[in-house]
């Protein structure tokens, strides 16, 4: 599967619920609202975004990192992988659009582990989790799926799962104007094992965010606990 920049922008637009345009300094001007990876991160996890901004642009070269794109559509299930001390079941059947996250956080890049194919874990890296974003389908244990809010059985906070089949149930779906095809979309994250709570149903992981937490503290909790580093897309 080859994804051009137009389809990548459609993927981001489908997750944010608004149309994004490619950023071109010569046309948009230096004051144009350019979406950062951090803004995208917070919007998808806790709904934080500038409500007064009606239109965002995306600087494709700064937002995506195609060096780490990966085609899992025909990957074999035979090789067992470990990330952050947890079994990592690779997302067979999906294509990963990598986000440019290296150098974005003050604690460095250890959370990502080392580059290249490997089956083993390395010191300091975080486990992989998946994030479906279709909140309307969430029921029961993940009724407040991935959003800090009321109604989650295991507490208020950000939910994710190591099981891609669970995340796929909550996948966002959109039809591309570029290709005419319909796709499912989920996020691939790394989650801080020191701040993650494994629920009674071990397929669900929780980053607690207590009621009344100030917005800036909530932002710090999220950015220090769970970080999307790829968007997974599957053609239907």
């Amino acid at each position: 599967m080859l994804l051009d920049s137009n389809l990548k922008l459609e993927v981001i637009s489908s997750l944010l619920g608004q149309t994004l345009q490619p950023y071109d300094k010569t046309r948009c001007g230096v004051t144009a609202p350019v979406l950062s990876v951090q803004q995208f991160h917070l919007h998808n996890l806790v709904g934080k975004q500038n409500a007064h901004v009606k239109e965002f642009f995306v600087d494709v070269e700064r937002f995506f990192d195609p060096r780490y794109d990966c085609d899992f559509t025909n990957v074999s299930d035979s090789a067992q992988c470990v990330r952050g001390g947890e079994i990592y079941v690779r997302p067979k059947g999906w294509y990963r659009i990598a986000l440019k996250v290296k150098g974005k956080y003050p604690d460095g890049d250890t959370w990502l582990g080392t580059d290249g194919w490997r089956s083993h874990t390395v010191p300091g890296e975080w486990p992989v989790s998946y994030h479906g974003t279709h909140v309307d389908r969430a029921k029961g244990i993940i009724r407040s799926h991935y959003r800090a809010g009321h109604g989650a059985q295991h507490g208020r906070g950000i939910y994710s799962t190591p099981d891609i089949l669970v995340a796929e149930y909550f996948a966002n779906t959109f039809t591309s104007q570029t290709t005419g095809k319909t796709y499912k979309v989920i996020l691939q994250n790394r989650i801080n094992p020191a701040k993650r709570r494994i629920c009674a149903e071990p397929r669900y992981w929780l980053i607690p965010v207590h009621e009344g937490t100030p917005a800036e503290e909530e932002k710090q909790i999220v950015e220090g606990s769970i970080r999307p580093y790829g968007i997974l897309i599957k053609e239907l």
Side-chain angles (χ1 to χ4, degrees):
M1 181 189 300
L2 296 176
L3 280 72
D4 65 13
S5 59
N6 289 328
L7 182 54
K8 288 183 177 182
L9 286 175
E10 286 187 291
V11 170
I12 299 294
S13 298
S14 74
L15 291 170
L16 295 180
Q18 66 181 92
T19 301
L20 303 175
Q21 301 295 332
Y23 175 75
D24 181 341
K25 187 176 180 179
T26 61
R27 292 190 298 107
C28 302
V30 294
T31 60
V34 181
L35 183 73
S36 69
V37 173
Q38 288 90 337
Q39 286 173 312
F40 171 75
H41 175 182
L42 292 172
H43 174 83
N44 276 284
L45 295 181
V46 292
K48 302 294 184 185
Q49 193 177 21
N50 296 328
H52 65 282
V53 178
K54 302 300 182 183
E55 182 178 38
F56 269 105
F57 294 88
V58 175
D59 187 332
V60 173
E61 292 185 0
R62 294 187 178 185
F63 197 90
F64 300 108
D65 201 345
R67 295 174 299 167
Y68 302 105
D69 286 1
C70 189
D71 190 346
F72 295 102
T73 53
N74 296 305
V75 72
S76 170
D77 287 329
S78 59
Q80 178 173 291
C81 301
V82 181
R83 297 289 183 269
E86 299 280 357
I87 298 297
Y88 165 44
V89 180
R90 293 181 295 168
K92 183 177 181 180
W94 298 78
Y95 185 95
R96 180 174 69 213
I97 305 169
L99 302 176
K100 189 164 283 188
V101 294
K102 282 201 166 185
K104 298 293 185 181
Y105 297 97
D107 55 0
D109 298 324
T110 304
W111 61 280
L112 283 168
T114 55
D115 294 345
W117 158 251
R118 56 188 166 84
S119 60
H120 62 280
T121 192
V122 296
E125 76 173 331
W126 295 1
V128 173
S129 71
Y130 299 104
H131 176 138
T133 58
H134 197 315
V135 180
D136 292 342
R137 290 183 60 186
K139 300 177 182 178
I141 189 172
I142 43 178
R143 186 165 39 190
S144 296
H145 194 59
Y146 298 110
R147 293 185 181 275
H150 300 289
Q153 283 190 4
H154 292 267
R156 183 181 189 271
I158 309 299
Y159 286 85
S160 66
T161 175
D163 188 336
I164 193 166
L165 296 179
V166 172
E168 183 172 2
Y169 178 77
F170 299 96
N172 189 64
T173 302
F174 78 99
T175 299
S176 168
Q177 294 182 4
T178 301
T179 67
K181 298 177 180 178
T182 301
Y183 302 91
K184 284 185 176 181
V185 181
I186 61 178
L187 298 181
Q188 187 174 32
N189 320 297
R190 294 299 185 103
I191 188 167
N192 190 335
K195 299 183 179 182
R196 167 205 57 182
R197 178 188 300 168
I198 299 177
C199 300
E201 165 52 79
R203 294 180 300 168
Y204 301 104
W205 293 349
L206 171 67
I207 298 298
V209 182
H210 299 297
E211 185 70 40
T213 301
E216 184 59 31
E217 183 180 345
E218 188 175 83
K219 173 184 175 183
Q220 292 173 1
I221 290 172
V222 172
E223 291 187 335
S225 304
I226 182 168
R227 296 169 180 172
Y229 68 106
I231 301 172
L232 298 178
I233 180 171
K234 177 194 282 189
E235 182 182 326
L236 297 182

